């Protein structure tokens, strides 16, 4: 039991300590809050707003300034006579309660005082700012007035001294200056009547108007200078230059220059209206457009000036080249017509040459038109400068094409001679093959050889007939000669096979006699001789060779190798 009592006593002591500590902390916290409230009251009192009101009353304010003063004075009077005394009472009582540890009472009064003093302090600060502005507004307005009137007078002096540089815009400029003068008088009157707030507003209006006019004037000057000096000089120069060009037989079709100049003058008249209305941005855009149109006219004239030297320099050269190509074209057509009597031109050379000749003649006609137009003063030099280089390039390509065509047909004569020589050579080779077989005294020739021989002879005869015609197709003949060459070689190989096979049959038959007592060999010899007599030399060789290999392996291969070795020697 004593231990439980001890624990309870300790717990109570701790609780008392905690409560006392909490009360001390709350006391100190609330004390700091009371000090903050007191400081806020002191801040308001140190603003000395009542002294500002006395000074402002002496200024005899009027209008918007007086209304502003009355509004904020009422706010201050309400704070100084009601709110601040009540707050002071609250924080004094709260301080007393807090010191005697009536903490909850103190808390309630502190909270009430805080809720009053916070907006009251904010209003007091705003009131001080307004009163300060009102007290200083007269002085500031005077400084601003003096600065603006100085700028105004200098600006007006410059405008009057150079009024001719603004053209039709001078009336609008003078109206703006007159309006500013009225605003200056209004600001002065408002200040003398004590309405400094309204005077400040008027001065702000003047400042913006002056700034706008200062930015506009250089642009107006520049716009007027472009309209009345730059553009006029350029259009006169263009008109004079164009008339001179016409007298010097230039001809321009891209645009009617004089009509375009007239249209630009109309655009300048429209721009003058914008100038008179001081629509500076629209005027700048319009002037930029007009400047571009004038530049385009300069480019049109300059293009013709630059093109003329080229045309004059190349006129004779063009005549020479076209005349040369006309002669070459005519000569090629005549040549191909003559060749066409003897040879078939299988690639349309004659028709193509006539087309090229026609194209060259058309160029000559166009050249004649161009030079006649130049002589008549209707030649567009820039257009001619564009077309002649293309014409020259085309003439070069035509010349190359015609030269190749001429070279190709020149080869027809050589091809014909080569073809005749080839036919003679093929006839000799076929005759040699036939005589070679005759000298061998064979029983006869195989059907395949006879057919191949007949085919080759017929092919040679056919091409020979074609070469003897009045009009030859050399391309067809060349292709047929290639085929004949292949067939002659094939005929030679078949003749070689016949001779070699027949010779090997005889050698093998002789060698096989040593095995004549063997029935297979004897039977093979009989069969081989039968095939041999029927002109089947390869089959005869295969028959006897097979039988010999069976009785003496490798023997036929030795015979064959020995035979071909002797043939190569």
């Amino acid at each position: 039991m004593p231990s439980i009592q001890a624990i309870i006593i300790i717990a109570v002591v701790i609780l008392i300590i905690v409560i006392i500590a909490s009360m001390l902390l709350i006391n100190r916290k609330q004390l700091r809050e009371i000090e903050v409230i007191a400081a806020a009251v002191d801040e308001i009192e140190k603003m000395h707003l009542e002294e500002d009101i006395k000074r402002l009353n002496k200024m005899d304010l009027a209008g918007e300034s007086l209304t502003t003063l009355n509004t904020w004075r009422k706010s201050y009077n309400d704070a100084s006579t009601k709110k601040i005394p009540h707050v002071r009472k609250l924080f004094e009582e709260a301080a007393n309660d807090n010191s005697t540890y009536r903490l909850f009472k103190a808390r309630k009064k502190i909270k009430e005082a805080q809720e009053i003093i916070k907006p009251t302090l904010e209003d007091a600060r705003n009131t001080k700012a307004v009163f300060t502005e009102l007290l200083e507004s007269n002085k500031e307005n005077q400084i601003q007035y003096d600065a603006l009137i100085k700028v105004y007078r200098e600006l007006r002096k410059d405008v009057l001294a150079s009024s001719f540089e603004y053209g039709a815009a001078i009336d609008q400029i003078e109206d703006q200056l007159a309006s500013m003068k009225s605003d200056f008088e209004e600001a002065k009157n408002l200040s003398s009547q004590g309405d400094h707030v309204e005077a400040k507003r008027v001065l702000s209006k003047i400042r913006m108007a002056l700034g706008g006019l200062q930015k506009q004037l250089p642009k107006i000057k520049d716009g007027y200078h472009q309209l009345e000096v730059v553009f006029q000089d350029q259009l006169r120069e263009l008109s004079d230059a164009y008339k001179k060009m016409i007298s010097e037989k230039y001809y321009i079709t891209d645009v009617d220059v004089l009509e375009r100049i007239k249209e630009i003058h109309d655009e300048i008249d429209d721009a003058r209206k914008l100038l008179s209305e001081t629509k500076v941005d629209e005027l700048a855009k319009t002037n930029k457009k007009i400047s571009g149109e004038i530049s385009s006219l300069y480019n049109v004239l300059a293009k013709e000036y630059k093109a003329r030297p080229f045309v004059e320099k190349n006129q004779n050269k063009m005549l020479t080249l076209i005349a040369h190509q006309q002669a070459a074209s005519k000569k090629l057509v005549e040549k191909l017509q003559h060749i066409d009597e003897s040879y078939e031109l299988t690639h349309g050379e004659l028709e193509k040459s006539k087309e090229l000749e026609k194209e060259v003649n058309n160029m000559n006609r166009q050249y004649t038109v161009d030079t006649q137009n130049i002589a008549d003063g209707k030649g567009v030099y820039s257009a001619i400068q564009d077309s002649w280089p293309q014409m020259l390039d085309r003439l070069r390509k035509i010349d190359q094409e015609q030269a190749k065509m001429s070279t190709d047909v020149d080869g027809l004569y050589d091809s014909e001679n080569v073809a005749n020589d080839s036919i003679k050579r093929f006839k000799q080779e076929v005759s040699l093959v036939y005589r070679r077989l005759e000298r061998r005294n064979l029983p006869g020739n195989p059907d395949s050889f006879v057919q191949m021989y007949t085919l080759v002879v017929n092919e040679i005869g056919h091409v020979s007939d074609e070469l003897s015609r009045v009009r030859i197709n050399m391309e067809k003949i060349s292709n047929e000669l290639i085929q004949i060459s292949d067939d002659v070689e094939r005929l030679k190989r078949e003749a070689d096979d016949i001779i070699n096979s027949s010779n090997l049959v005889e050698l093998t038959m002789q060698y096989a006699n040593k095995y004549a007592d063997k029935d297979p060999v004897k039977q093979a010899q009989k069969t081989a001789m039968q095939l041999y007599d029927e002109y089947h030399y390869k089959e005869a060789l295969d028959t006897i060779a097979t039988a010999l290999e069976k009785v003496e392996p490798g023997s036929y291969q030795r015979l064959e190798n020995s035979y071909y070795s002797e043939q190569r020697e």
Side-chain angles (χ1 to χ4, degrees), residues 128-321:
K128 182 64 178 178
V130 170
F131 286 175
T132 300
E133 184 178 358
L134 287 171
L135 287 167
E136 294 178 357
S137 61
N138 185 36
K139 182 179 179 181
E140 289 178 357
N141 285 352
Q142 188 60 49
I143 292 171
Q144 189 175 15
Y145 180 92
D146 292 341
L148 291 174
I149 196 72
K150 181 180 179 182
V151 174
Y152 167 79
R153 287 169 179 166
E154 290 177 354
L155 189 63
R156 186 170 183 275
K157 181 181 177 181
D158 290 341
V159 169
L160 292 175
S162 56
S163 59
F164 63 92
E165 295 182 19
Y166 300 102
I170 190 63
D171 292 338
Q172 283 281 343
I173 295 170
E174 289 180 346
D175 287 346
Q176 292 183 49
L177 291 172
S179 178
M180 286 184 224
K181 184 178 180 182
S182 297
D183 289 339
F184 274 116
E185 291 174 358
E186 182 182 1
K188 188 174 182 180
N189 291 334
L190 289 169
S191 294
S192 65
Q193 293 169 8
D195 194 352
H196 303 296
V197 173
E198 186 62 20
K200 184 176 182 179
R201 184 191 66 77
V202 175
L203 288 171
S204 295
K205 176 185 174 185
I206 294 171
R207 185 175 65 254
M208 291 181 64
L210 267 176
L213 187 59
Q214 283 177 313
K215 290 180 180 179
Q216 277 190 332
L217 289 178
K219 296 179 181 178
I220 292 172
K221 272 188 179 181
D222 182 63
Y224 173 77
H225 180 70
Q226 281 189 300
L227 290 174
E228 305 304 334
V229 179
V230 177
F231 294 162
Q232 300 301 325
D233 289 347
Q234 289 177 335
L235 291 175
R236 276 194 296 271
E237 183 179 39
L238 282 169
S239 179
D240 293 343
Y242 176 72
K243 291 173 183 176
K244 183 180 179 183
M245 289 176 71
I246 295 302
S247 68
E248 293 176 354
K249 293 190 175 182
Y250 283 90
Y251 192 62
I252 297 172
T253 57
D254 287 353
V255 63
D256 186 334
V257 176
L258 296 180
E259 179 61 26
R260 193 71 192 91
I261 290 173
K262 181 179 178 299
E263 291 172 356
I264 293 174
H265 275 299
D266 292 339
E267 292 180 34
I268 291 172
D269 288 339
D270 292 337
R272 289 190 180 108
K273 295 176 184 176
L274 297 174
L275 178 68
S276 66
E277 297 168 0
T278 62
K279 294 180 179 178
V280 177
D281 292 336
E282 291 182 42
L283 176 63
K285 290 180 182 178
T286 301
N287 280 0
K288 184 177 181 180
K289 178 175 177 287
I290 293 172
S291 179
E293 292 169 350
I294 291 175
S295 294
S296 295
L297 284 180
Y298 271 111
N299 291 337
V300 169
L301 300 189
K303 185 169 68 171
E304 297 308 314
Y305 268 119
K306 292 177 181 177
R308 186 167 185 168
F310 169 86
V311 174
E312 291 175 344
K313 178 182 178 181
N314 289 280
Q315 189 167 339
N316 291 334
K317 179 182 178 181
M318 285 293 299
L319 177 62
T320 302
L321 289 173

Side-chain angles (χ1 to χ4, degrees), residues 448 452 455 485-495:
S448 61
M452 191 65 201
L455 172 66
S485 177
D486 292 340
D487 290 344
V488 168
E489 290 302 316
R490 181 181 167 188
L491 185 68
K492 288 179 180 178
R493 288 194 298 273
E494 286 203 19

Side-chain angles (χ1 to χ4, degrees), residues 4 170 218 228 241 261 313 399-400 487 503 533 542 566:
I4 294 174
I170 190 63
E228 305 304 334
I261 290 173
K313 178 182 178 181
D399 183 60
Q400 292 171 359
D487 290 344
N503 289 339
D533 292 337
D542 290 340
E566 290 177 2

Side-chain angles (χ1 to χ4, degrees), residues 367-396:
Y367 170 81
T368 303
V369 170
D370 289 341
T371 53
Q372 188 58 52
N373 284 339
I374 291 170
D376 296 341
K378 293 184 178 180
V380 182
Y381 288 104
S382 60
I384 296 172
Q385 186 185 31
D386 290 339
S387 67
W388 280 8
Q390 296 175 13
M391 199 181 292
L392 286 171
D393 184 61
R394 183 58 187 148
L395 284 170
R396 281 192 291 270

Side-chain angles (χ1 to χ4, degrees), residues 359-367 391 394-395 398:
E359 188 176 351
V360 173
N361 289 337
N362 287 338
M363 290 184 194
N364 181 61
R365 279 191 289 274
Q366 183 58 50
Y367 170 81
M391 199 181 292
R394 183 58 187 148
L395 284 170
I398 288 174

